[in-house]
Amino acid sequence: MKLYYAPGTCALAPHIALEWTGKPYEAELVELGSEEYLKINPLGMVPALKDDGFRIMTQADAILKYIEARYPEAGLGVAKDPLSQFGLDEALAFLTGDFHPAFWPFFVPDRYTVNGSTGAQDEVRQAAFARIDRVMSHLGTLLDGGPHVAGSKRTIADPYAFAMVRWTAHTPKPWQDYPPVKRFMETMLEDRGVQAAMKAQGLS
C-alpha cells in the first residue's frame, strides 16, 4: 500500500490511520499539481492511495474507509449496527462536506471573487472565519461527550478531524480556544501513531 501526500494537508489523516494499522506501507511526498504527480493522479490533489494493483484511490474519507475495511483487525471502525454505522458516516460527511470547505475561502480566496485586489482577497478570508468558527463549535459538540469524534473509541474520523483542526493555527481563533477540541487535540498529539506520521511529514 502506497500513500501519496503533501505536508499540512488532509493526507495526514490516512497517514495516521496507516500507522494505527501496524501494517507495512509506503508514503511518498509529492508536489501538488506537478506534471509528474498529475500522471499518477489527474486531479493533482492528495491524499491518493495505491493498493493491490487497483486504480489510484482518491478522496480522504473514501481512503480512510478503505483502510478501515482493509484492516478490520486494527479496530478503526465502529460496531456494524445501523446506528453506529450512521454515526461514523455522519461524522465523515460533516468533515468532508462542511468542515473542509469552511477553510477553502481562507486558503484560496481567489476562487470566491473575481476581484484580484489584496483588499478583496482579505475580505474573503475574513468572511471565512465565521464559518470556520461554526464548524469548530459543532466539532466541539461532537467531542463534548468524550475524546473521540464518532462513538466511544478511536476511529478513522479522529485523524481526519485532527489533520484539519491543525489549520486553525492560522486563524484568529485556534483550536486551543475550543475546550472539547483542545482536549481531543492534546490526546491525539500524545499518540505514537500520530507522532510517527507527523515526523514522517516533517510536521510539528
Side-chain angles (χ1 to χ4, degrees):
M1 189 175 288
K2 187 174 187 177
L3 174 71
Y4 298 92
Y5 75 93
T9 68
C10 59
L12 178 60
H15 205 154
I16 293 170
L18 287 169
E19 281 290 327
W20 282 354
T21 68
K23 304 296 184 179
Y25 70 91
E26 295 179 53
E28 181 174 320
L29 173 65
V30 298
E31 181 182 347
L32 295 178
S34 68
E35 185 175 337
E36 182 180 0
Y37 184 52
L38 286 171
K39 294 176 183 177
I40 298 170
N41 176 13
L43 291 172
M45 303 299 288
V46 291
L49 189 74
K50 187 71 176 173
D51 188 36
D52 281 349
F54 189 64
R55 63 170 176 79
I56 286 291
M57 302 176 190
T58 64
Q59 308 303 327
D61 54 336
I63 289 172
L64 286 164
K65 292 186 77 171
Y66 177 76
I67 292 170
E68 184 271 322
R70 181 79 162 74
Y71 300 115
E73 65 275 16
L76 301 182
V78 292
K80 299 304 179 184
D81 65 275
L83 283 179
S84 296
Q85 287 290 306
F86 172 78
L88 178 57
D89 287 344
E90 182 184 37
L92 292 173
F94 161 66
L95 292 169
T96 298
D98 293 295
F99 201 96
H100 197 172
F103 287 87
W104 292 347
F106 177 68
F107 286 124
V108 283
D110 56 291
R111 291 185 183 179
Y112 299 90
T113 178
V114 295
N115 189 332
S117 70
T118 300
Q121 303 281 311
D122 287 343
E123 285 181 357
V124 172
R125 290 191 180 93
Q126 289 293 325
F129 296 146
R131 189 173 181 185
I132 292 170
D133 178 62
R134 186 158 59 248
V135 296
M136 284 291 288
S137 296
H138 183 69
L139 178 61
T141 300
L142 296 180
L143 290 165
D144 204 26
H148 302 291
V149 176
S152 58
K153 58 182 287 294
R154 79 178 184 182
T155 68
I156 52 175
D158 291 336
Y160 198 12
F162 174 80
M164 294 188 288
V165 166
R166 294 181 71 254
W167 298 339
T168 62
H170 305 287
T171 71
K173 191 175 180 181
W175 55 262
Q176 291 89 342
D177 290 349
Y178 302 84
V181 180
K182 182 175 184 289
R183 290 193 297 270
F184 164 74
M185 293 295 285
E186 289 173 345
T187 298
M188 289 288 285
L189 286 167
E190 293 175 357
D191 182 273
R192 290 184 179 180
V194 172
Q195 292 172 357
M198 291 183 69
K199 182 178 180 181
Q201 294 199 11
L203 303 172
S204 58

